[in-house]
């Protein structure tokens, strides 16, 4: 009994200490940082566009420091007076992917982006870090001091969009706050969007491991009217006037649906508790996209709609890599001399920090795709778009061919849910 009492007191004190850290450094509001990334295949630079104070920070209050360090970029914040790091969060951007295209070899471009963090009480030093392709480590790309009392922080109110709560399971900072945002729905199609968002919500929570964690999610639908229905199909000469300027044929890939207009997305959810964004596109065309800790996107009415949604949500919510690969090989997408940051692929450079401990001691590394290994957890060659030198945990997975999530992806998703719900 004494041991039990001691443990209860110990863990209670840890929880209170973590909460005290938040209360010492942050308010209940949110700081939004809009910035530009510019460059080409050889270099990139970052510049501040604007700062905004927004009404609610819905992220965790105990888990302030990112334990995963996933993503091609990371935002860090340190208390200016003490130098203590008080916040960090990894993320991806579409610009990072663009830098790997043929176009980036001959052009220099600039893309806008947004990140959010809890609003500080005192001056903080912000750093934007970018992952070095050659080493896998983070380098500093931008540094600035932010005084929360600055007259240059925008504190204005934005448009009040139509909001419907699909499910509310608790306080925002103790839940994953999933927000569906309407794209390509006209004013007359509001009811369709709300019905689509509810259908997607119900579909997510019948798929493991989300099926057992529904009570850890708050879900909200935000309706933003578009002038036209659908989305751009630039490869077919179709361009629609929509709220978030989305479109297929990203980087000339027919099924890759994205938008680079992060400012409009953030403007739409400025007053909504929001940890994860899914843009629901009013179209029946197959495709989607997802960037870690940014957003995921998919169409509402294709026969594969739900599978695409869950697959892309795996990217944006849990940082999962694509486990499929092509015969013609995108062999330069991952540096084979560096261990990828994504938890579900490996180059075997540092496999010990991936799923090695989950394997049976009798499993060969790499693992041959034959009996008795094919149906078990292993290290199978082919993943991350390339057939050689990159390895995946299972022959079939949601991140390859819409099969159930493999054990590695399941574990990562559950860890991410725990992180966002302050467990």
């Amino acid at each position: 009994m004494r041991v039990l009492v001691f443990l209860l007191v110990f863990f209670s004190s840890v929880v209170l200490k973590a909460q005290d850290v938040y209360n010492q450094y942050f308010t209940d509001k949110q700081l939004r940082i809009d910035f530009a990334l510019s460059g080409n295949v050889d270099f990139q630079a970052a510049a501040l566009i604007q700062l905004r104070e927004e009404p609610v920070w819905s992220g965790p209050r105990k888990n302030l420091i990112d334990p995963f360090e996933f993503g091609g970029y990371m935002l860090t914040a340190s208390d200016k007076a003490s130098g203590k790091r008080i916040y960090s969060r990894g993320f991806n951007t579409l610009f990072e992917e663009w830098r790997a295209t043929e176009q980036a070899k001959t052009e220099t471009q600039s893309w806008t982006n947004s990140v959010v963090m809890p609003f500080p009480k005192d001056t903080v030093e912000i750093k934007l870090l970018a992952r070095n392709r050659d080493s896998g480590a983070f380098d500093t790309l931008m540094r600035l001091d932010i005084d929360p009392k600055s007259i240059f922080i925008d504190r204005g109110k934005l448009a009040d969009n139509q909001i419907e709560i699909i499910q509310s399971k608790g306080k925002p900072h103790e839940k994953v706050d999933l927000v569906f945002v309407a794209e390509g729905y006209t004013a007359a199609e509001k009811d369709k969007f709300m019905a689509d968002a509810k259908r997607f919500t119900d579909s997510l929570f019948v798929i493991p491991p989300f099926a057992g964690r529904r009570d850890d999610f708050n879900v909200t639908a935000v309706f933003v009217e578009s002038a036209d229905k659908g989305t751009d199909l630039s490869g077919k000469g179709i361009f629609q006037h929509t709220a978030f300027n989305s479109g297929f044929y990203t980087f000339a890939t027919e099924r890759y649906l994205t938008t680079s207009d992060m400012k409009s997305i953030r403007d739409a959810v400025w007053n909504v508790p929001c940890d994860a964004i899914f843009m629901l596109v009013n179209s029946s065309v197959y495709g989607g996209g997802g960037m870690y800790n940014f957003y995921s996107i998919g169409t509402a009415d294709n026969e594969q709609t739900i599978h695409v949604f869950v697959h892309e949500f795996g990217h944006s919510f849990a940082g999962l890599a694509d486990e499929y690969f092509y015969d013609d090989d995108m062999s330069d997408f991952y540096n084979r001399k560096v261990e990828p940051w994504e938890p579900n692929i490996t180059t075997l450079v540092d496999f010990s920090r991936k799923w090695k401990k989950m394997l049976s001691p009798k499993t060969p590394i790499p693992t041959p795709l034959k009996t008795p290994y094919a149906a078990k957890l292993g290290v199978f060659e082919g993943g991350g778009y390339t057939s050689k030198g990159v390895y995946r945990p299972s022959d079939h997975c949601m991140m390859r061919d819409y099969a159930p999530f493999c054990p590695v992806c399941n574990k990562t998703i559950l860890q991410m849910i725990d992180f966002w719900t302050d467990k």
Side-chain angles (χ1 to χ4, degrees):
M1 179 62 73
R2 289 181 180 178
V3 173
L4 177 60
V5 171
F6 170 78
L7 289 174
L8 288 173
V9 171
F10 172 76
F11 286 117
S12 296
S13 66
V14 170
V15 169
L16 287 173
K17 184 177 181 180
Q19 186 68 52
D20 287 345
V21 170
Y22 185 93
N23 292 334
Q24 179 181 354
Y25 293 109
F26 300 110
T27 74
D28 292 335
K29 296 182 179 181
Q30 175 170 279
L31 175 66
R32 175 175 132 194
I33 304 168
D34 294 341
F35 63 98
L37 289 172
S38 60
N40 53 41
V41 69
D42 295 319
F43 83 96
Q44 63 176 325
L48 178 67
I49 297 175
Q50 73 162 355
L51 302 172
R52 273 189 52 81
E53 179 187 274
E54 297 183 332
V56 56
W57 168 252
S58 62
R61 297 193 176 189
K62 288 175 276 188
N63 296 331
L64 293 170
I65 303 298
D66 187 340
F68 307 106
E69 296 195 349
F70 293 168
Y73 299 87
M74 179 168 288
L75 176 73
T76 70
S78 299
D79 176 56
K80 185 65 177 177
S82 66
K84 177 182 178 180
R85 181 174 290 191
I86 55 177
Y87 179 84
S88 65
R89 195 74 80 245
F91 63 97
N92 272 3
T93 76
L94 201 57
F95 178 77
E96 176 188 12
E97 293 185 34
W98 176 81
R99 291 187 68 220
T101 67
E102 287 296 314
Q103 192 178 34
K105 295 178 180 179
T106 59
E107 295 182 14
T108 297
Q109 294 191 5
S110 181
W111 297 43
T112 58
N113 300 271
S114 292
V115 288
V116 295
M117 60 171 283
F119 199 87
K121 290 182 176 180
D122 299 302
T123 299
V124 292
E125 179 188 60
I126 297 294
K127 289 183 180 179
L128 177 65
L129 311 179
R131 195 178 295 275
N132 187 305
R133 175 178 169 81
D134 294 329
S135 68
F138 283 110
D139 298 328
T140 300
L141 196 61
M142 180 177 72
R143 192 206 71 80
L144 64 148
D145 292 341
I146 297 178
D147 178 357
K149 303 177 184 65
S150 171
I151 63 171
F152 300 110
I153 298 177
D154 185 346
R155 305 173 201 272
K157 181 179 178 182
L158 299 177
D160 285 322
N161 295 304
Q162 300 175 67
I163 298 169
E164 183 170 330
I165 296 174
I166 295 176
Q167 72 171 43
S168 177
K169 296 293 184 176
K171 297 176 181 179
H173 62 271
E174 295 177 350
K175 303 296 175 182
V176 179
D177 297 286
L178 170 60
V179 180
F180 289 97
V181 181
E183 167 69 335
Y185 290 80
T186 64
E189 295 174 302
K190 176 190 172 184
D191 289 345
K192 179 183 186 303
F193 165 68
M194 294 300 180
D196 287 343
K198 291 174 183 176
R199 172 167 56 92
F200 272 56
T201 300
D202 289 338
S203 298
L204 177 65
F205 294 117
V206 298
I207 296 175
F210 297 103
R213 302 297 294 267
R214 182 164 189 159
D215 285 350
D216 286 311
F217 284 74
N218 293 332
V219 185
T220 305
V222 177
F223 180 72
V224 183
E225 176 186 334
S226 289
D228 294 331
K229 176 180 178 179
T231 188
D232 291 350
L233 292 160
S234 58
K236 297 182 179 180
I238 298 173
F239 297 91
Q240 303 292 76
H241 183 194
T242 59
F244 303 109
N245 304 301
S246 67
F248 284 96
Y249 292 89
T250 302
F251 311 141
T253 300
E254 182 178 5
R255 69 172 185 264
Y256 197 9
L257 171 63
T258 67
T259 178
S260 59
D261 189 0
M262 282 304 302
K263 183 178 184 302
S264 293
I265 299 173
R266 280 291 169 192
D267 284 352
V269 300
W270 71 281
N271 59 347
V272 179
C274 179
D275 299 326
I277 297 170
F278 188 83
M279 296 185 64
L280 194 49
V281 180
N282 190 20
S283 169
S284 62
V285 179
Y286 174 80
M291 275 71 68
Y292 176 60
N293 266 350
F294 242 45
Y295 70 85
S296 49
I297 183 171
T299 56
D301 298 317
N302 186 270
E303 61 183 10
Q304 295 282 1
T305 276
I306 299 304
H307 288 114
V308 173
F309 160 48
V310 178
H311 173 98
E312 301 300 349
F313 193 59
H315 287 311
S316 65
F317 178 67
L320 302 176
D322 283 316
E323 295 180 17
Y324 56 81
F325 50 94
Y326 302 106
D327 292 334
D328 56 354
D329 244 13
M330 292 173 60
S331 58
D332 60 346
F333 195 85
Y334 287 98
N335 182 350
R336 316 298 177 77
K337 297 179 181 180
V338 173
E339 185 64 36
W341 60 261
E342 293 93 334
N344 61 322
I345 59 171
T346 181
T347 54
L348 296 179
V349 171
D350 189 8
F351 183 52
S352 61
R353 65 184 177 92
K354 291 301 178 69
W355 62 93
K356 186 175 183 178
K357 293 180 181 179
M358 297 174 65
L359 295 176
S360 165
K362 296 181 179 180
T363 302
I365 302 172
T367 310
L369 195 57
K370 62 182 182 181
T371 305
Y373 305 111
K376 299 179 181 180
L377 189 67
V379 189
F380 303 102
E381 192 165 29
Y385 319 117
T386 180
S387 60
K388 300 294 182 183
V390 178
Y391 302 83
R392 66 189 188 278
S394 297
D395 189 22
H396 300 287
C397 177
M398 179 66 70
M399 301 313 294
R400 182 186 180 197
D401 52 13
Y402 300 148
F405 283 108
C406 71
V408 174
C409 293
N410 264 285
K411 179 182 178 181
T412 304
I413 290 169
L414 291 173
Q415 288 174 331
M416 201 62 70
I417 294 173
D418 287 346
F419 174 78
W420 282 99
T421 54
D422 259 342
K423 293 179 180 174

